[in-house]
Amino acid sequence: MIKLKIQITPVRLRRGVLTCLLCLLLTGCGNEFARREYDSNEKIAQIEDHYAKEVSVANSINGEYSLTVSKFDGRQTIWTETLEENQNMDIDFSFSISNGLAKIVHIDGDGNVTTVLECSPDTSTDGFVTKTISFKSGQNRLKIVGYDCKNIDLKMLFEEL
């Protein structure tokens, strides 16, 4: 019979605890947060964004915004503007995805969240759809919110502010 005596030193204990914490952190990373928070206006209205994405290209030139993303989960601000007075604006949207569920929301300065357009593989737009958004004076934001999204293709054409 062999007796084995293991001595746990403070250094070994710290290494073991750090290894366990690292394993927990890595296994906790996933997109489940995006599914849980998809309908949470409280989370969506926050200034902070929370998202995970792969292969993303965004362009904004002369009132035209485009975004393509191969994979997306979470919520990300895609446009922000501070206005002097209330105004309605027509925005043309082209929005398609091959998997998942996504939406474009408007958040006013009071934190009110309004869904502008929602998209799934079955409801992707063919061409542009015009939506009228009532912007309030103060800060206004548009966010993309989604989960399990693949191959997002979003285009927005703004009239002049």
Side-chain angles (χ1 to χ4, degrees):
M1 176 188 253
I2 298 175
K3 287 189 178 183
L4 186 61
K5 183 177 179 184
I6 299 176
Q7 185 177 15
I8 299 178
T9 63
V11 172
R12 283 190 178 158
L13 182 61
R14 274 189 248 132
R15 281 187 196 154
V17 169
L18 288 175
T19 301
C20 287
L21 286 175
L22 183 60
C23 288
L24 283 173
L25 284 174
L26 292 176
T27 58
C29 294
N31 68 347
E32 203 50 42
F33 78 93
R35 184 182 302 270
R36 272 192 326 270
E37 298 173 358
Y38 184 80
D39 291 314
S40 173
N41 287 348
E42 181 182 337
K43 294 283 188 180
I44 293 169
Q46 293 176 346
I47 296 294
E48 301 82 20
D49 291 336
H50 184 197
Y51 60 87
K53 63 182 179 177
E54 293 179 13
V55 190
S56 173
V57 177
N59 288 305
S60 181
I61 300 171
N62 298 330
E64 190 172 323
Y65 177 86
S66 67
L67 173 70
T68 57
V69 185
S70 67
K71 288 174 113 180
F72 180 82
D73 291 289
R75 56 191 183 277
Q76 179 184 3
T77 303
I78 55 176
W79 179 86
T80 186
E81 187 74 36
T82 301
L83 302 174
E84 295 293 322
E85 56 190 40
N86 296 349
Q87 68 182 50
N88 292 332
M89 184 189 315
D90 289 337
I91 302 176
D92 296 327
F93 291 91
S94 173
F95 194 17
S96 65
I97 60 175
S98 65
N99 190 66
L101 188 61
K103 61 186 174 182
I104 305 300
V105 297
H106 168 241
I107 303 141
D108 67 21
D110 297 326
N112 298 312
V113 177
T114 305
T115 299
V116 176
L117 185 63
E118 194 163 29
C119 186
S120 71
D122 298 331
T123 62
S124 293
T125 61
D126 290 329
F128 284 91
V129 174
T130 302
K131 297 289 183 174
T132 302
I133 300 175
S134 298
F135 292 111
K136 286 186 169 183
S137 63
Q139 186 184 49
N140 290 271
R141 295 175 285 146
L142 294 177
K143 279 190 180 186
I144 185 168
V145 181
Y147 63 88
D148 295 333
C149 299
K150 291 185 182 168
N151 303 314
I152 293 174
D153 186 14
L154 171 66
K155 291 179 181 58
M156 299 186 303
L157 303 174
F158 293 86
E159 64 180 39
E160 288 194 32
L161 292 172

